[in-house]
Structures are given as structure tokens and as C-alpha cells.
Amino acid sequence: MVGVGEKKCDSVGRWRRRPAALFLLFYILLHSIESAHGREADDRIRFIYADDPGATVILEYQLHNAPSKDYSGDEQKIASKEQPGSEYDEERHIKPYFLMPENGPRVVQYYSPWCGHCQFFKTKYVALAKETIVRLPDDQPEINFHAVSCSVYHWICMQHGVKGFPTIVAFKANSVEPHLLKEKELTAESIAETVGVQLNAPAAWGNTAESEVVEGDDEFRPIDILGASLNGLVRTRDAVYKDAALSFMHALKTGVFSKEEDGQTSGPLDSVQREVFSDWIDLLYWALPPTWILHTLINDIRNNIDSVMVSEENLLFMIEKHQDVVNGGNMKWSTQCSKAYDQAGYSCGLWSLFHIISNGVIERHRAVLGAQDQVSTKFVAQTMRNYIDHFFDCDQCREYFVEMFDTCGFDHCRRFKQPQKLPPPESWREFTLWLWEVHNDVNARLFEAELKREGGAGTSKHKLNLASWPRAEECPTCRDRSGNWDKDAVLGHLKKEYWPGGVQNFRFVVLKKKDYSKDESSSFISDLLENFLFLAISAGIVMWCTRKQYISFTGRHKKMDRDYV
């Protein structure tokens, strides 16, 4: 009886446990569905054409909609034979169908959704595609317009030599030879001529849409390379630092190494690139807050700088080793950072990084041993300029920043002059204020371009003031009653936003001494006089000590004393 009773109880227990098990199974299934939908949503926001009903003329590349021949298991079999035991990366073997020879004439745009200029160019690209297709005679081959998101298909863009956004290339029928199209010269006629197709005259369809799009397009339409702060949403300091760390790592992945036209990695950095990259890492090592977890990655790169600059694989390995620790598993920019433009988190985070550096120039300049010339405001600004020039992959942003800097924009050639010995304390704040002024200039240009794109009638001073940062509600004391900026209040606000509170570990850092040529002849003369004076004083002290020792040794001082008795 006992055995039967135990069996009965087990049977009842199993039935009682079944609802819980079924509920758990249902929860797991529901969570999996939600996760899948979440991933699909994340992918959709990384495309700017795919889900836009007004942009159906553009064929946005998405692997799940592509022909099966774009990816097959043949490459994996070949790779396993050539390199047994190696990990196979399927992303590196995707071959979009429209980049193969068996195609008609087509145009391909490589873009990144974080690039504000790509967002602006979207309207023009759609309008040009529609115009070209409408003006195409019946006896001419069809022209297809494609788009590839480099944020999703990073390896495709690298293998086809994409070095800036947007990049537009055209292909003739049955050809894989790319013809680069310049954005400023991009018209329906230039597209047709490049791909070898004839078009009807514009009067056959009208040019109203084109005039609406192209008007004012040649004017500079910048993306806010230094951040998206137009909407005034407030980020926490934790979000600021996470955004900056994400952008730093994204820039390392996409901007340091590029691909040649044959699809091969460009190889080790050349001597100029090595110096620029090394200076950039040194600057981050010195200027960033000592307690920031990002230092684990920066220190590792700095200690292995020669290996990192040899190949992309070495750099990616270094990043992947630290990214979970640095980001805490979070790989998305904050909503506040990417609010002004979809997927603008990268540029916003980079702006945060620049602001953190500029505050570090004020806070950390006394903490350097060794190469003091590497922490001057002039050197810091030049290092940032060189980094943007060599490793920033937004063409419009790079051209604006470099041209502005090389023409002494915002009077930095005068403002960054510091005496080599004991610069006045107020001189260290000039870089922070200069970078803030550049930020506001970019915001004003961005705001003005946005108004023109939306058909606004002119831009008043009042409207441009709306783009200035910080706003009155964020920093009431940053402007006086006349509306002029209070620089001290602005500096206080920048420190509050971008520098950690509390007591920082004021550790000293040692920077490697480098042989930098000095531009000013006065610096050379002053150094020469300083060295000569030091040698003269040293020689005088040595002669005095030698004579003193000689007199004491020979006893001549006693003889001299007797002579005067």
C-alpha cells in the first residue's frame, strides 16, 4: 500500500507541476519573440531607406531579402580546408548580388545612418533616382539604385574601399568596375553618362521636384561632428561617458584601417599615420579622468602600440578584449544622444569625448612628467585636428574641421600661444572655450541647413540663437542681461556636464619625449640663450669649486692670512 500511495502522489505532483512548466515554456517563447522583434527593430533603425514608403525606388540591401547566392556555405568549406580549426566569420563572405558582373547599369550608395549628411542626402538621392527612371526611354536598359548601410554591413563597405560617407559609385552593365560620383556634381545626366545610358530631355517630365531638392544643396550641410544637442535633452554623466566610450571604440573599428580598391586591407599605418595615432592615444591617456574604466583599453593599446598599428586584426582583438568591461554589455548610444537625428549617437558620443578631453586640459595639465610640450593647448588642438584629418570617415565633417583649423578659425593661432615656462593659469581654458565655440558654430550651420531643407524663409539671429548651447534653461547664468556669453559661467557648466565630480586620483603620468620641430624662430633663440646661460653658470660654479679646493689643498690661504697680519 505504501508503494502504491507513493506512486499516486508522484503522479499528482507531476500534474500539479505541469501548469508551472507550461507557463515557464510560454514565457520563454514569448521572451524569444520579443527579443527577435527587438533585434528587428534595432536593425530597422540602422537603415534609412528600407521602411520609408517614399523611398521605395531605392533598393536598400538587407541580407534576409537578398538572393541566396549572396551567401552560401561554399566559402565556409573552402575556409575550413585552408585554415583548419580557425573561426569562420560569415560577415566577411557576403557578396551582394548587385556588385557582381551579371547586372545591368546601377548606382550604389554606401552610407552610415549616424552620418547627418547622409540623412540630408537621402532626399536628393531619392529624387535623382525618380528623375532618372522617369526620363529613361523605353529602348534603354533599366537603371537600379541601391543603398548599403555600412553600420550593418561593415565588411562589405571595407572590402569595396569606402573611406567616407556618403560614397556613391556607378557601374555599367555587366561590369564590376566602380566609377566614383562626386556628390556636388551628381545629376541625372551625370549618372546616365557614367553608366552609358541615354535620357529624355528634362521637359518631358518637369523639374519641379528637382528644384525643390537641389536648391541650396551646394551650401555646406554639416553633420554635428561634435554632437547632437539641439533638442536640449539632459543626459546623466554616466550616459555621457558611455556614449563617449562607444564612439571611441566605433571610431577605432571603422576609421583607423581602410580597404584598398582590390578589397585588401591597406596594411600597416604609414609613418605619418603612426605618429598621429600615437599622439591621439597619448592625449587620451593624459587628459581623460584617471578613474574612467576606458583607461583599461587605452593603456593596453598604448603598451602594445606597435602591434596595434600593424594590422586591423590586432586592433580589433584589442577592442573585443575590453569592450564588455568598458561598456558593461551596453552597445547602444543613449536616446538623448541620438535624438536630434536617427542614429546620430556616434557623432554625439564623439563630441562628448572631445569635451571630456578639453576639460581634462584644464584639470590635468599639472600632472605630466617628461614631455611638457605635449600638453600645451596648441599641441592638444593640433593632435585633435590631425586625428580628424586622418581617421574620421565623414568627408563633410573632416573638410569643415580641417579647413577651419588651418585658417586659424576662432582665432586659435593667437589664443593657443603659451610661454614654455609657467604658462598663466587662465591660458589653459582657451582650448575648452575654443572647442565650445566650434561646437556652437557647427550647430548653427546645421540648424540653418535644416531650416532651408524644410523650406524656411531665411534665418534670423533669434532662430540661430536657438541652436546655441547651453540654453538658458540649462545654464541661466551663462548669458548676461545683454545676451552676451559669460565665459566663466560657460566653463563651469562644461565642467559640470563633462567632468566627474568628487575627488579625482591626481596621479602623475609620464609622456614619451618626441622630437618636435618648433615653428617659431623666437623659440629657437630663447632655447639657445637659455642653454648658453645654463652652461655659463655651470662652468662658473665648477671653476669656483675647483679653485676653492686647490687653495685648500696647497695651504695658500694660510700664507695669504700671514701676509695680511
Side-chain angles (χ1 to χ4, degrees):
M1 293 296 293
V2 175
V4 174
E6 289 177 351
K7 183 175 182 180
K8 183 178 180 180
C9 290
D10 287 343
S11 177
V12 173
R14 282 198 301 271
W15 279 103
R16 287 176 178 175
R17 287 193 296 269
R18 279 187 179 180
L22 290 174
F23 175 78
L24 180 61
L25 181 61
F26 176 76
Y27 174 79
I28 294 173
L29 180 61
L30 181 62
H31 181 71
S32 301
I33 294 173
E34 290 177 350
S35 299
H37 284 307
R39 286 192 297 271
E40 291 176 3
D42 291 341
D43 285 340
R44 283 197 298 270
I45 65 175
R46 293 190 290 170
F47 300 104
I48 64 176
Y49 296 96
D51 295 325
D52 186 350
T56 54
V57 68
I58 306 300
L59 304 175
E60 177 87 73
Y61 186 68
Q62 294 178 287
L63 189 59
H64 65 276
N65 292 332
S68 58
K69 64 181 181 180
D70 281 18
Y71 171 73
S72 65
D74 297 338
E75 293 89 352
Q76 185 172 6
K77 295 177 182 178
I78 296 173
S80 61
K81 291 180 180 179
E82 293 178 351
Q83 296 179 338
S86 62
E87 184 177 353
Y88 178 73
D89 188 351
E90 62 181 24
E91 291 186 3
R92 302 193 184 197
H93 295 270
I94 298 174
K95 298 178 180 179
Y97 64 94
F98 50 85
L99 297 177
M100 298 293 104
E102 303 83 11
N103 285 278
R106 65 264 187 214
V107 179
V108 180
Q109 180 201 171
Y110 300 97
Y111 74 91
S112 183
W114 58 258
C115 173
H117 191 70
C118 297
Q119 299 279 348
F120 282 123
F121 180 69
K122 172 184 176 180
T123 306
K124 180 177 180 179
Y125 190 54
V126 171
L128 283 172
K130 291 179 179 179
E131 177 190 354
T132 305
I133 293 172
V134 169
R135 291 175 55 187
L136 196 66
D138 294 336
D139 60 346
Q140 294 294 306
E142 181 183 3
I143 302 176
N144 289 319
F145 288 79
H146 301 269
V148 179
S149 172
C150 293
S151 291
V152 180
Y153 302 110
H154 172 60
W155 286 106
I156 294 177
C157 297
M158 292 194 67
Q159 288 166 2
H160 289 84
V162 178
K163 299 179 180 179
F165 305 121
T167 294
I168 306 102
V169 294
F171 300 87
K172 293 183 177 180
N174 301 316
S175 173
V176 291
E177 181 182 357
H179 299 274
L180 184 65
L181 299 176
K182 295 183 179 180
E183 182 188 339
K184 291 183 178 180
E185 302 172 1
L186 193 62
T187 61
E189 286 77 10
S190 65
I191 292 172
E193 181 181 357
T194 303
V195 299
V197 172
Q198 300 293 325
L199 294 180
N200 290 323
W205 74 286
N207 57 1
T208 306
E210 182 185 19
S211 63
E212 291 177 356
V213 175
V214 178
E215 182 180 358
D217 188 74
D218 288 339
E219 297 186 14
F220 175 68
R221 283 181 175 178
I223 128 178
D224 190 353
I225 60 170
L226 308 177
S229 56
L230 297 181
N231 60 359
L233 291 181
V234 179
R235 283 183 294 166
T236 64
R237 187 176 287 115
D238 182 60
V240 168
Y241 276 75
K242 286 184 178 179
D243 290 334
L246 278 172
S247 293
F248 171 66
M249 290 186 290
H250 183 79
L252 290 178
K253 292 178 181 179
T254 61
V256 177
F257 289 94
S258 60
K259 291 285 184 178
E260 303 294 347
E261 293 183 359
D262 58 1
Q264 299 297 318
T265 306
S266 58
L269 302 183
D270 59 36
S271 58
V272 175
Q273 291 173 324
R274 290 172 66 90
E275 183 175 359
V276 170
F277 185 74
S278 179
D279 286 344
W280 176 244
I281 296 300
D282 271 352
L283 173 61
L284 297 173
Y285 171 74
W286 161 64
L288 299 182
T291 55
W292 195 3
I293 192 66
L294 186 62
H295 274 292
T296 59
L297 173 58
I298 293 173
N299 292 343
D300 210 356
I301 292 176
R302 194 168 183 263
N303 293 332
N304 300 277
I305 191 71
D306 292 329
S307 172
V308 165
M309 294 189 293
V310 167
S311 69
E312 183 184 34
E313 287 73 19
N314 292 350
L315 178 59
L316 293 178
F317 173 78
M318 192 73 67
I319 298 169
E320 291 170 0
K321 185 171 68 172
H322 292 278
Q323 65 181 4
D324 288 339
V325 175
V326 172
N327 295 322
N330 180 22
M331 301 301 294
K332 294 181 181 179
W333 285 280
S334 67
T335 304
Q336 296 90 337
C337 196
S338 58
K339 183 67 175 178
Y341 293 101
D342 291 339
Q343 288 296 298
Y346 170 58
S347 56
C348 173
L350 201 61
W351 168 239
S352 299
L353 182 66
F354 288 170
H355 264 317
I356 295 169
I357 292 172
S358 71
N359 276 271
V361 171
I362 299 177
E363 299 294 326
R364 307 263 305 143
H365 72 268
R366 293 183 299 273
V368 175
L369 301 176
Q372 293 288 336
D373 55 344
Q374 290 188 48
V375 299
S376 66
T377 53
K378 179 180 179 180
F379 180 83
V380 171
Q382 186 70 44
T383 299
M384 185 174 290
R385 179 260 180 221
N386 292 342
Y387 168 76
I388 291 174
D389 187 26
H390 286 85
F391 300 119
F392 196 63
D393 51 9
C394 174
D395 292 337
Q396 292 285 332
C397 316
R398 179 174 60 250
E399 291 171 4
Y400 162 77
F401 193 93
V402 172
E403 181 181 359
M404 177 275 301
F405 187 91
D406 292 347
T407 55
C408 294
F410 300 94
D411 200 22
H412 73 79
C413 294
R414 178 190 62 83
R415 296 168 66 180
F416 292 166
K417 285 185 177 180
Q418 290 178 294
Q420 290 186 337
K421 301 298 181 182
L422 299 177
E426 61 272 12
S427 68
W428 295 103
R429 73 181 202 165
E430 287 300 325
F431 176 69
T432 308
L433 289 172
W434 173 81
L435 198 60
W436 163 73
E437 292 170 14
V438 173
H439 162 229
N440 266 339
D441 181 63
V442 174
N443 272 349
R445 290 171 177 266
L446 181 65
F447 188 68
E448 187 173 7
E450 177 68 12
L451 288 177
K452 288 183 177 180
R453 187 174 72 90
E454 295 176 352
T459 307
S460 66
K461 183 177 179 181
H462 173 69
K463 290 181 178 179
L464 287 179
N465 283 336
L466 295 177
S468 299
W469 180 82
R471 293 184 175 183
E473 56 267 26
E474 296 174 311
C475 181
T477 61
C478 285
R479 289 182 185 268
D480 59 24
R481 294 182 178 179
S482 302
N484 299 318
W485 291 108
D486 184 332
K487 299 296 180 64
D488 292 330
V490 170
L491 283 171
H493 181 78
L494 292 173
K495 181 177 180 180
K496 176 183 175 182
E497 291 292 317
Y498 293 102
W499 195 256
V503 178
Q504 289 292 303
N505 177 20
F506 197 69
R507 69 180 183 188
F508 285 88
V509 299
V510 180
L511 296 180
K512 299 176 182 177
K513 184 68 178 178
K514 298 178 182 178
D515 184 19
Y516 293 104
S517 59
K518 297 180 175 57
D519 298 331
E520 297 84 357
S521 59
S522 58
S523 298
F524 172 78
I525 296 174
S526 62
D527 288 346
L528 185 64
L529 292 175
E530 183 180 350
N531 293 334
F532 178 79
L533 182 62
F534 174 76
L535 290 175
I537 295 175
S538 300
I541 294 175
V542 171
M543 291 177 63
W544 182 82
C545 292
T546 303
R547 181 172 178 79
K548 188 78 174 177
Q549 186 176 9
Y550 172 76
I551 292 174
S552 176
F553 178 75
T554 58
R556 292 189 60 186
H557 62 289
K558 296 180 180 180
K559 182 176 181 298
M560 294 174 65
D561 291 342
R562 289 197 300 269
D563 292 341
Y564 285 97
V565 172

